[in-house]
Amino acid sequence: MNAPAPLPAPDGGFLGAVDGRWRHPLETGILPGWLGSRRWFGARNRPVRAVTLLPLAEMAPDLALLLIDVRLDGATQRYFLPLALRDATGAVGFPLAPVAGGRVLIDAAEDAASAGVLLAALRAGITLHTGNGQIRFEPEDATRLASPGPPRALKADQSNATHVFGQDVMLKLYRHIHPGLQPEVEMARHLSRQGFTHMPAFLGQVALHQGNGAADSGESGNDRSDHDSVLAVAFAYLRNEGDAWSWLCAALRQDPGPGRGAWLMTRLGQRMGDLHRCLSATDAPPGFTPEPVTIAHVERWMHETESDLETALEALARAALGPAETQLAREALGRRAEFARLIGQPAHLPPSGLCTRIHGDLHLGQVLVTRDPGGARDVAIIDFEGEPRRPLPERRTLTSPLRDVAGMLRSLDYAAQLCDAGRSWARGASRSCLAAYELSMDGSPALPAREPARALLRLFLLQKAAYEISYELASRPELVAVPLRGLLALIGTGADRSGQEKETP
Ligand SMILES: Nc1ncnc2c1ncn2[C@@H]1O[C@H](COP(=O)(O)OP(=O)(O)O)[C@@H](O)[C@H]1O
Ligand SMILES: O=P(O)(O)O[C@H]1O[C@H](CO)[C@@H](O[C@H]2O[C@H](CO)[C@@H](O)[C@H](O)[C@H]2O)[C@H](O)[C@H]1O
């Protein structure tokens, strides 16, 4: 791709340039090409039909806050894209386009100095006025935001953009913007009231209040009359030894033997249980009050799974895949009847257990390796945003806690495949994690009886694998074989590197 021609120097303020002379080149040339290279862009496998800039406010002379609407076939997705101007001397991170006069336009979400400006605004609790609304910087705990260390951007390859300030504060800028209450904020407030301590404390949010339709239309199913959305959140920084994904992969690559990571499996099961016990407390506010699982819930989950599986299979049929992935995809496309049988199983068992709020996207990357007060290894759970591809109302619905368990077991399967441990390790690890979870949940009314629990777990494993196929095709197509193998393993088929047998959690 040719380097873009320099944008003219701004002559009427930064936001004026973005909204004026730069709009056309940004909308028609620069952004459509650049989006496809961003991991956080949730439609990398679909053609971008149009990009529209929605400038919100100027935060500093060289820092502007914007949304962009990305039109795809049949849907529009909305993203948060702060922009900043920097001198082009030396290495400049995240360049979008050169600007005449030796400057460069950058994606400020990944820029630590810009994150520092946002955090200072949060500490001060300011309000910025936009064309038709306000951006409110709402500190929850201003004291803990008072004097954080210097900012540094964490790895850029994630769904959102995260910065840590010393060992004090973490600021996350959301990318894909959905209207409505952010589950991460709601969950943090609720769990802190319930006394759940294995997560970071919530410190504040940046909320956008708009006077007209906000965020996605089309397939997302969002209610366009809900005009508030959250652009960023701050949490207390937790000292950690990395996330459980990195920890486990390093351990497995060193020694993939049976039982590797045993302490982690125990802690994962235990803390998932602690979380689910807190979420099943009955003295909860509306929206968090548990309800018994009924046959209507089970039928809904079966239908959702059918639909997610169909979406994944259709996306596979359309995708340009390599030879190994094509083989796996063909196999999956030919096994609809077996998938349907697995999906139908929970209907034959009496419903039991509770529907509660859940984490919603629990995997090893959402767990930090920490130390308990006695110095023993422990884990903390982060990122209560739910699955980033789902609309917010769906992420906030009461559902079975076994979905979180399924998410974690799928993650162990990813680790087995990508960190060369094989399925027998994954089977052992899954059993240990499940045993620790069941022990921790022993006697809790939230946990279904044994047989329905097994059938539901298999249903949610299948649904999660289907979600992952769609997620990987849109975000990391090179990894799609991993959930595809996981999907096939659930019906006891599929080429597996380690010659596994049928998956029976
Ligand atoms: N409270 C925290 N303390 C320390 N590190 C954190 C904290 N929250 C997140 N992180 C780090 O930031 C990374 C990304 O955070 P996460 O909330 O999972 O973002 P995303 O929604 O983009 O996946 C995590 O993997 C972890 O390394
Ligand atoms: O962490 P996010 O909220 O951004 O979640 C999304 O991205 C995850 C990848 O970072 C993705 O997780 C999948 O890959 C993981 C390994 O990289 C694996 O441990 C998970 O089990 C698997 O689902 C997640 O699905 C997606 O929502």
Side-chain angles (χ1 to χ4, degrees), residues 39 159 245 361 363 366 383 388 411 414 467-468 471 476:
R39 152 82 191 278
S159 298
W245 172 262
D361 192 18
H363 57 80
Q366 315 285 41
D383 196 0
S411 203
Y414 261 70
Y467 166 87
E468 288 167 344
Y471 176 86
R476 304 184 297 187

Side-chain angles (χ1 to χ4, degrees), residues 154-155 158-162 164 170 172 174 184 200 235-240 242-243 363 365-366 368 382-385:
L154 286 191
K155 64 179 169 83
Q158 55 180 79
S159 298
N160 300 295
T162 307
V164 297
M170 162 310 234
K172 171 153 96 173
Y174 292 115
E184 188 153 25
F235 282 88
Y237 178 83
L238 288 182
R239 279 169 197 260
N240 64 86
D243 62 44
H363 57 80
Q366 315 285 41
L368 296 179
I382 58 168
D383 196 0
F384 288 77
E385 198 191 340

Side-chain angles (χ1 to χ4, degrees), residues 90-91 139 168 274 276 328 334 370 411:
D168 310 297
D274 291 342
H276 290 162
L328 290 167
T370 56
S411 203

